[in-house]
Amino acid sequence: MRFLLTFFLTFAPMKRFFLHIIIFISASLWLESCKEKENLPTPDEGISIQDSTEFTAILYMLAEGLGDYWTEQDIKELVSGKDQIPENARVVIYIDYAKDKYGQDRPPVIYQVDAKHGKRVWMTYENDEDCTDSLTMLRNLKHITTYFPARKYGITFSAHGSGWTFRHKAKRRAIGWDNTYGTNYLNIPTLRGVLENLPRMEYVFFDVCFMQCVEVAYELRNTTRWVIGSPAEIPKIGAPYDLLARPLTEGDVEGIVRNYEGYFLKSSYPGILLSAARCDKLDTLAIATSAYVKEHFADKGTLANTYNIQRYSDFSDFTYCYDIRSLMYNMLSESEYLDWMEVYEMAVPIRAIGTGRWMADFCISPYVRYPEQYGGMSMFIPEYTSQMTQDLHLLQWYTGAGWATTGW
C-alpha cells in the first residue's frame, strides 16, 4: 500500500497525460471495430491526406435536447446556401435525432453537404447513442476527420448550454442534453480532452446559449485558433446557416460573427450578442487579469457592489454571467482599465453587439445597459461558497487567472 501511495504521489502530474493516451487508444480501437461492423464507406474514392480538400466544417448537432424541428430547419438553411460553399470545401453534419412521435429512439445520421451534390446521407447508425459521452463523441469526430480529410477543420456545436457550468441540472455539465441513458450533459474539461485528440481546429463555434465565457475559451485555447459564441442566451432558431455556409467553410471567423448578427438585425427577434476570442492571446489575458483578481478577491474577498456590472442572467440558480469588460471597468482605476483593455482588445478583437438586446428566458431585462462597457464575453465572480465555486477549481482558468491564490 505504501508503495502504491508513493507511486501515485510521484507520478500524479502524469495522470492527465496517461488519461489522454487511454482515451486516444480506446477511441482508435472503437473506430476500427465500427469500421468492420458497419462497413463504413469512404466518401470520396481515391482521396488521400495529401490530396484532401481545403476545409471540412463539422456541425455536431445534439437534437435530443433541441428537438428535430429546429435542427432540421438549420440543415435546410445550410442546403439552401450550398452554392456559397467553395468547391474545395464541405460541411459534414452529425445529428443525434430526438425520439419520434411514438417515443421511439432514432439513430444518429451523418450527412455531407457540398456545392456540387447538396445534402447526401453518408452514414446511418444502427442504434441510438449518448452523443454527449466523451468516447462516443471522439469516435464520431474521428470518423469524420478520417473519412473527410482536409487541410483545415472547424467545428460548430448546436445544443443547449450554460457556459462552463450547469449547476441547475447537474454539476459541471455545460452542453447537452442527451436522453439515451437518462439525461446527460458534456462538461468543458471533457470537451477539451476530446478536442485535444483531434486535428487543431480553426474555430470552435458554439451555436449554444451562454458559451462565450472566458472560462470556456481559456479551457479550449490549445485545441483551436478561435472560440466563437454568445455570452447570453440565443433564440431557438439558432444561426442562419444559409448565410454562414461560406464563412464556416472558409474559416472566416469575422464573417461568421457578422453574418449571424446581421440576420438578427433584420429579423423580428430582439437580437443577439456575439464575439470571437483569439486563443493565442488568452494566456496573456489570464496574466493581465490575475493581477487584479489577486488584489480584489484576496482572502475570499468579494465586491461591495455588482449592480453596475453587466450581467447576462438574473436567474441566480442558473449561472453567473458578468461581462468581463464591464467588471474591469467598474473594478479598476482608469489607468488600470486602459492597460487591461489593450490586452483584451487583442484577445477578443471581434465583438458584435447587434441591437444590444437578446432573447432570454432567464433574464428580467435582456439588454446591454452600458454599450461602452460591452466585452462580448462573461466571467464568473465567486460571491459565496457554493458548488459552482468549487467546480471552478476544476478549470484551468482557476489557476491561470489567479483564483487559486485568493482562497476561493
Side-chain angles (χ1 to χ4, degrees), residues 262-306:
Y263 169 80
F264 282 98
L265 288 174
K266 302 173 184 177
S267 75
S268 59
Y269 287 88
I272 190 166
L273 308 175
L274 292 169
S275 73
R278 181 175 165 177
C279 292
D280 64 348
K281 301 296 181 181
L282 291 179
D283 278 315
T284 304
L285 177 63
I287 293 171
T289 304
S290 67
Y292 303 118
V293 166
K294 293 173 182 178
E295 176 184 351
H296 291 271
F297 296 92
D299 300 320
K300 300 185 73 170
T302 61
L303 298 181
N305 182 12
T306 59

Side-chain angles (χ1 to χ4, degrees), residues 1-13:
M1 180 64 70
R2 181 178 300 176
F3 169 77
L4 291 175
L5 178 61
T6 303
F7 180 85
F8 178 81
L9 293 174
T10 303
F11 293 96

Side-chain angles (χ1 to χ4, degrees), residues 156-173:
T156 300
F157 290 97
S158 177
H160 286 296
S162 62
W164 60 273
T165 185
F166 210 108
R167 180 173 177 251
H168 186 55
K169 293 291 183 181
K171 64 179 182 179
R172 300 190 310 280
R173 300 294 177 180

Side-chain angles (χ1 to χ4, degrees), residues 22-36:
I22 292 170
I23 291 176
F24 179 80
I25 294 173
S26 299
S28 299
L29 293 174
W30 201 344
L31 175 61
E32 291 303 317
S33 66
C34 287
K35 279 195 273 187
E36 294 176 3

Side-chain angles (χ1 to χ4, degrees), residues 97-112:
Y97 284 106
K99 297 179 185 297
D100 64 22
K101 62 181 180 180
Y102 303 106
Q104 299 299 310
D105 289 330
R106 298 174 62 192
V109 178
I110 294 180
Y111 298 104
Q112 174 181 335

Side-chain angles (χ1 to χ4, degrees), residues 19 26 41 47 95 145 152-153 170 195 207 235 258:
L19 177 60
S26 299
I47 197 167
I95 177 169
T145 56
K152 297 179 181 179
Y153 298 89
L195 294 176
D207 193 15
R258 299 306 176 194

Side-chain angles (χ1 to χ4, degrees), residues 87-312:
E87 290 184 4
N88 63 345
R90 55 198 163 192
V91 181
V92 180
I93 303 168
Y94 168 91
I95 177 169
D96 186 11
Y97 284 106
K99 297 179 185 297
D100 64 22
K101 62 181 180 180
Y102 303 106
Q104 299 299 310
D105 289 330
R106 298 174 62 192
V109 178
I110 294 180
Y111 298 104
Q112 174 181 335
V113 180
D114 58 35
K116 182 177 180 180
H117 302 100
K119 185 183 77 172
R120 292 181 292 172
V121 174
W122 178 62
M123 174 183 155
T124 300
Y125 287 68
E126 293 183 0
N127 302 297
D128 192 18
E129 62 182 16
D130 181 358
C131 63
T132 65
D133 176 75
S134 58
L135 286 178
T136 300
M137 178 180 284
L138 181 57
R139 180 205 63 192
N140 294 333
L141 294 176
K142 278 191 171 292
H143 276 166
I144 293 171
T145 56
T146 298
Y147 287 111
F148 297 91
R151 293 182 178 85
K152 297 179 181 179
Y153 298 89
I155 188 166
T156 300
F157 290 97
S158 177
H160 286 296
S162 62
W164 60 273
T165 185
F166 210 108
R167 180 173 177 251
H168 186 55
K169 293 291 183 181
K171 64 179 182 179
R172 300 190 310 280
R173 300 294 177 180
I175 303 176
W177 62 82
D178 188 287
N179 293 324
T180 305
Y181 307 109
T183 303
N184 295 319
Y185 300 83
L186 179 72
N187 64 49
I188 297 305
T190 301
L191 177 60
R192 168 179 53 78
V194 170
L195 294 176
E196 284 176 340
N197 287 285
L198 296 168
R200 182 179 175 87
M201 299 292 163
E202 293 298 306
Y203 61 80
V204 173
F205 169 36
F206 290 106
D207 193 15
V208 181
C209 297
F210 291 117
M211 295 307 294
Q212 193 65 337
C213 48
V214 69
E215 294 85 1
V216 170
Y218 191 74
E219 194 77 13
L220 302 182
R221 70 194 185 284
N222 295 320
T223 68
T224 180
R225 297 183 186 278
W226 294 87
V227 174
I228 312 166
S230 174
E233 291 178 82
I234 61 174
K236 288 182 179 178
I237 63 171
Y241 285 93
D242 53 335
L243 303 180
L244 300 189
R246 179 172 290 277
L248 284 174
T249 50
E250 289 184 338
D252 177 7
V253 172
E254 186 166 1
I256 294 171
V257 173
R258 299 306 176 194
N259 288 9
Y260 198 161
E261 175 207 25
Y263 169 80
F264 282 98
L265 288 174
K266 302 173 184 177
S267 75
S268 59
Y269 287 88
I272 190 166
L273 308 175
L274 292 169
S275 73
R278 181 175 165 177
C279 292
D280 64 348
K281 301 296 181 181
L282 291 179
D283 278 315
T284 304
L285 177 63
I287 293 171
T289 304
S290 67
Y292 303 118
V293 166
K294 293 173 182 178
E295 176 184 351
H296 291 271
F297 296 92
D299 300 320
K300 300 185 73 170
T302 61
L303 298 181
N305 182 12
T306 59
Y307 176 78
N308 290 325
I309 302 173
Q310 178 67 49
R311 188 167 172 170
Y312 294 116

Side-chain angles (χ1 to χ4, degrees), residues 212 229-231 274-275 312 323 325 344 348 351 374-378:
Q212 193 65 337
S230 174
L274 292 169
S275 73
Y312 294 116
D323 189 288
R325 180 182 178 185
Y344 188 72
V348 190
R351 303 189 296 273
Y374 173 70
M377 176 178 279
S378 70

